[in-house]
Amino acid sequence: MSLSITLVGGPTALLDIDGFRIVTDPTFDGPGAYQLPHVKLEKLSGPALSAESIGEVDAVLLSHDQHSDNLDHSGRDFLAKARRVLTTEAGAKRLGNHAEGLAPWANTELTAKNGVSLTVTATPARHGPAGIEPLSGDVIGFVVSRRGGRPIYISGDTVWFDGVAEVARRFNASVVLPFAGAAQTRGPFHLTMDTNDTIETARAFPDALIVPVHTDGWAHFRQSAADLRATFDALGFGKRLKLLEPGVRTVIEE
């Protein structure tokens, strides 16, 4: 069994799982501004790797399509390079083409020519406090399960809530990628995990390695990877936190 992760920037990471190449929430634009219906988002830094350098991938795991910090212009173009695009049911309808929609707890198989397969299960996500759904829209996370190995959990844009706790009850994940950064756009509340939420997630998955993404590159991210490091170290969880250097392929020892 093998796993490596390369942080591209923001929520975007390239995962090599037993030979399958998977990208999370593709964002490959350079710095710039995005005017959404109710908010304006500002991207502060470009990707550590270009879409061209990554090339074709087996799948994109897209937590949601409606926000530019999770799918920007170049990210939309990148979807065509993926053999499969897995996202929310609403997002698949908007994106069309070969995007596939999954409801929470639905699953599908990724299969290689040599017969090796991965099971991808969509997981619940809530993009902010209770009641935010009509404003933020549908979001999902993903669990990637392997034969002979423990699962990998990718939270998608979510805060800590009962849905994340249920993922922990159902899956004994060895690696968790929380979408952190304490994103804040509409008011004094967070739309993604802050340091407290990330600690709660670490407690729910008591022996998983915590590998955060979604901590850099956008003006509306209120907390950084350094904030996570300080929090985890202060609370005695420091050995379980793995911070990635952008653009550097990191082999994860499980």
Side-chain angles (χ1 to χ4, degrees), residues 21 28 50-60 74-85 98:
R21 302 179 76 243
F28 292 103
S50 68
E52 292 72 25
S53 67
I54 290 176
E56 188 174 297
V57 296
D58 295 292
V60 166
S74 300
R76 289 178 182 273
D77 294 338
F78 183 80
L79 298 182
K81 295 185 176 183
R83 294 188 178 96
R84 297 179 66 181
V85 176
H98 64 311

Side-chain angles (χ1 to χ4, degrees), residues 15-27:
L15 285 70
D16 189 318
I17 305 172
D18 299 344
F20 288 87
R21 302 179 76 243
I22 296 171
V23 165
T24 61
D25 289 16
T27 54

Side-chain angles (χ1 to χ4, degrees), residues 228-244:
L228 286 172
R229 169 55 66 199
T231 301
F232 271 65
D233 287 350
L235 296 177
F237 287 76
K239 292 182 179 179
R240 294 184 51 207
L241 183 70
K242 181 70 173 179
L243 300 182
L244 301 177

Side-chain angles (χ1 to χ4, degrees), residues 16 19 49 56-57 62-63 69 89 97 127 133 140 143 145 158 161 167 192 207 230 237 248:
D16 189 318
L49 295 175
E56 188 174 297
V57 296
L62 176 60
S63 69
D69 57 326
E89 292 179 305
N97 297 322
H127 201 359
E133 296 85 352
I140 55 173
V143 168
S145 302
T158 188
F161 77 118
V167 177
T192 58
D207 61 351
F237 287 76
V248 176

Side-chain angles (χ1 to χ4, degrees), residues 14-249:
L14 171 63
L15 285 70
D16 189 318
I17 305 172
D18 299 344
F20 288 87
R21 302 179 76 243
I22 296 171
V23 165
T24 61
D25 289 16
T27 54
F28 292 103
D29 288 352
Y34 303 81
Q35 183 62 58
L36 303 184
H38 303 289
V39 297
K40 185 177 182 179
L41 304 180
E42 183 183 0
K43 189 172 188 180
L44 302 176
S45 58
L49 295 175
S50 68
E52 292 72 25
S53 67
I54 290 176
E56 188 174 297
V57 296
D58 295 292
V60 166
L61 304 184
L62 176 60
S63 69
H64 60 304
D65 69 302
Q66 64 267 30
H67 297 148
S68 303
D69 57 326
N70 297 85
L71 184 67
D72 59 16
H73 303 308
S74 300
R76 289 178 182 273
D77 294 338
F78 183 80
L79 298 182
K81 295 185 176 183
R83 294 188 178 96
R84 297 179 66 181
V85 176
L86 306 180
T87 189
T88 63
E89 292 179 305
K93 291 177 181 177
R94 286 188 291 261
L95 292 170
N97 297 322
H98 64 311
E100 305 170 50
L102 295 174
W105 308 124
N107 60 63
T108 188
E109 296 285 323
L110 301 180
T111 304
K113 292 179 180 179
N114 62 3
V116 176
S117 65
L118 301 175
T119 300
V120 180
T121 303
T123 57
R126 195 182 74 201
H127 201 359
I132 193 70
E133 296 85 352
L135 294 175
S136 64
D138 292 346
V139 183
I140 55 173
F142 303 92
V143 168
V144 181
S145 302
R146 307 170 285 172
R147 295 176 184 173
R150 289 168 59 194
I152 299 157
Y153 172 43
I154 302 158
S155 78
D157 269 15
T158 188
V159 295
W160 168 263
F161 77 118
D162 290 344
V164 176
E166 183 61 24
V167 177
R169 287 189 285 267
R170 296 192 187 199
F171 295 95
N172 180 26
S174 62
V175 179
V176 173
L177 278 69
F179 281 37
Q184 188 179 104
T185 60
R186 299 174 181 271
F189 51 83
H190 295 153
L191 304 174
T192 58
M193 291 191 185
D194 60 11
T195 54
N196 289 13
D197 288 344
T198 310
I199 285 288
E200 291 282 7
T201 302
R203 286 173 56 87
F205 295 89
D207 61 351
L209 184 68
I210 307 301
V211 185
V213 298
H214 200 279
T215 63
D216 66 283
W218 292 81
H220 61 288
F221 293 0
R222 296 293 184 257
Q223 293 179 350
S224 66
D227 293 320
L228 286 172
R229 169 55 66 199
T231 301
F232 271 65
D233 287 350
L235 296 177
F237 287 76
K239 292 182 179 179
R240 294 184 51 207
L241 183 70
K242 181 70 173 179
L243 300 182
L244 301 177
E245 182 179 348
V248 176
R249 178 178 177 268

